[in-house]
Amino acid sequence: MAVTFACLARRSMALSRPHGGRHMSDIDNGDFQERIQANFARQAALHTIGAELTRVQRAMVEIELPFDVKLTQQHGILHAGIISAALDSACGFAAYSVIDPDASVLTIEFKVNLLSPGRGDRFLFRGEITKPGTNIIVGDGRGYAIGDGPAKLIASMTSTMMIIRGREGITG
Amino acid sequence: MAVTFACLARRSMALSRPHGGRHMSDIDNGDFQERIQANFARQAALHTIGAELTRVQRAMVEIELPFDVKLTQQHGILHAGIISAALDSACGFAAYSVIDPDASVLTIEFKVNLLSPGRGDRFLFRGEITKPGTNIIVGDGRGYAIGDGPAKLIASMTSTMMIIRGREGITG
Amino acid sequence: MAVTFACLARRSMALSRPHGGRHMSDIDNGDFQERIQANFARQAALHTIGAELTRVQRAMVEIELPFDVKLTQQHGILHAGIISAALDSACGFAAYSVIDPDASVLTIEFKVNLLSPGRGDRFLFRGEITKPGTNIIVGDGRGYAIGDGPAKLIASMTSTMMIIRGREGITG
Amino acid sequence: MAVTFACLARRSMALSRPHGGRHMSDIDNGDFQERIQANFARQAALHTIGAELTRVQRAMVEIELPFDVKLTQQHGILHAGIISAALDSACGFAAYSVIDPDASVLTIEFKVNLLSPGRGDRFLFRGEITKPGTNIIVGDGRGYAIGDGPAKLIASMTSTMMIIRGREGITG
């Protein structure tokens, strides 16, 4: 085997020529950062939980969340549904950065693994695009608790999204 | 609402004698309804989203949620993270009904499929236990939108949970 | 709450009017049974593992598998990959029964829960359609071990599939 | 193949101090490579599909598979169940490298995303440990098709496994 596989989801994709897909570097979808910020501003649920959009790059978005007791479950740790909301949003916004400006994204399904209890002062959720298809986009996300000491991996997500074009009432 | 819910999960289990598991009818865990109500009362995140615990039976719990614009994503429909929070909780409470009174439950992972946009006046989320193991419990949940006309299936979940016994700070 | 929810995935769907979907009773896709049998005959991997197509109905397909030591993992039980192959196929064939005759189906993703060790003389895998969308179909499957005594539930799957129309080289 | 694989999983873990977990560098489980090879030799299903164990490191295992028409589905591409078998095994063997010598591993559940059709002369499946817990281990896997040109990412998996200690008949 002479092939050298590379680190990070991003690089794996540089290696790969998906059937029917395209390289992310081929995509010119204009000012995706502005569109993602406008989209974030319209997501009432994210404001309800106190989420902040802290980093937007092509195929990678980060959302941060200060700890708040109103977001906890019975053990005083971050509720799995809140973790899901933040990771799903990070993956979804990352998808917006690789689609046409007038298209939109709907999550079809996701899986979340809760790896460690969500304890910390603050949480960071990163979503990255693993496969930018023409109809289906797959993203992977990771959530970290931030407090004293190094960040702690608390959750991972794989999310499958569908690109929506021209469906009334469901635009970006 | 009387008899007709959930023949599927329950019947499948009547067929099945899980290796190392037990029949749910063998389980005497006392007043699980009281414990689940107390547990619900401690889940701050569920109060934040306006969830109500409306039905508690052995191996089956229902949570309802009135529509609120503060729970929506950019298309004005219920955010997938809110759906996850409600379904995860319904499955988790259903698990509490089949474990020992002094044990607790932690979600390890779940998968959510978003089957139709979450539009409606009100939502109902039902969690049922598919496999009550000695260490691992698997539940399945379904979410419905309720408005004019018949209820509409909007989401499904499969959730894997771990039974926790005697771990300080993580009790029921 | 006056709504009465019904048993079985099938009935839940009768209740539900998915956004952009259709009732399965509206679907006339001709002789789906013949097409599914022909499709099964072309699935080399299913012959390799000894699978048999034993039941084909609209939105529900069953596949059976005799135990064979060549299908086991290190503990002598059915390998999770073999269980996945059978459940994925049962869900996939069930999807063929609800699509147009000239369309095809590709699995996008699935999740499998291994509920009990796969021990038995014979195994039955049932796939059912939970949501027959216009582009995305979601199925749920269950696997059972059959030996002495009642059938034992050993696995469950949720599968997300995409309908493919007119893509050369990937037809039915 | 030298240095560059899998910065992601490994680095994320270097950042992370899982609650109740341990650093993988703290683990001394002796000659895990021999045990994994012996374990592989006992997996009949892997021989049936022609899998080869080509790389074993702590927390990372690779399995390769030559293309064979007997492993295909109706479109002539690798069957999703075969991909699952190989990825599940790669993750499972990777888990054996981070547990005590007398413990064993059982897969509880996994999710597979099929990212591109499985076409190629040969396939490589890599499993890596994302979270080495005391009871639950989570792994992530990726599958690649290898032919002319660069390797193509065809599938990803997240797998949840349980550590089994001293359960008769289910030893490593």
Side-chain angles (χ1 to χ4, degrees), chain A residues 40 43 46 61 63 84-94 107 157, chain B residues 79:
Chain A
F40 180 84
Q43 296 242 13
L46 296 181
V61 164
I63 285 176
S84 301
L87 282 174
D88 173 47
S89 299
C91 290
F93 291 134
T107 302
M157 171 182 279
Chain B
H79 196 286

Side-chain angles (χ1 to χ4, degrees), chain B residues 4 7 15 109 111 115 131, chain C residues 4 7 109 111 115 131 151:
Chain B
T4 57
C7 312
L15 285 177
E109 65 82 38
K111 174 197 205 295
L115 302 171
K131 167 76 195 282
Chain C
T4 302
C7 53
E109 65 82 40
K111 175 196 204 296
L115 302 171
K131 167 75 195 285

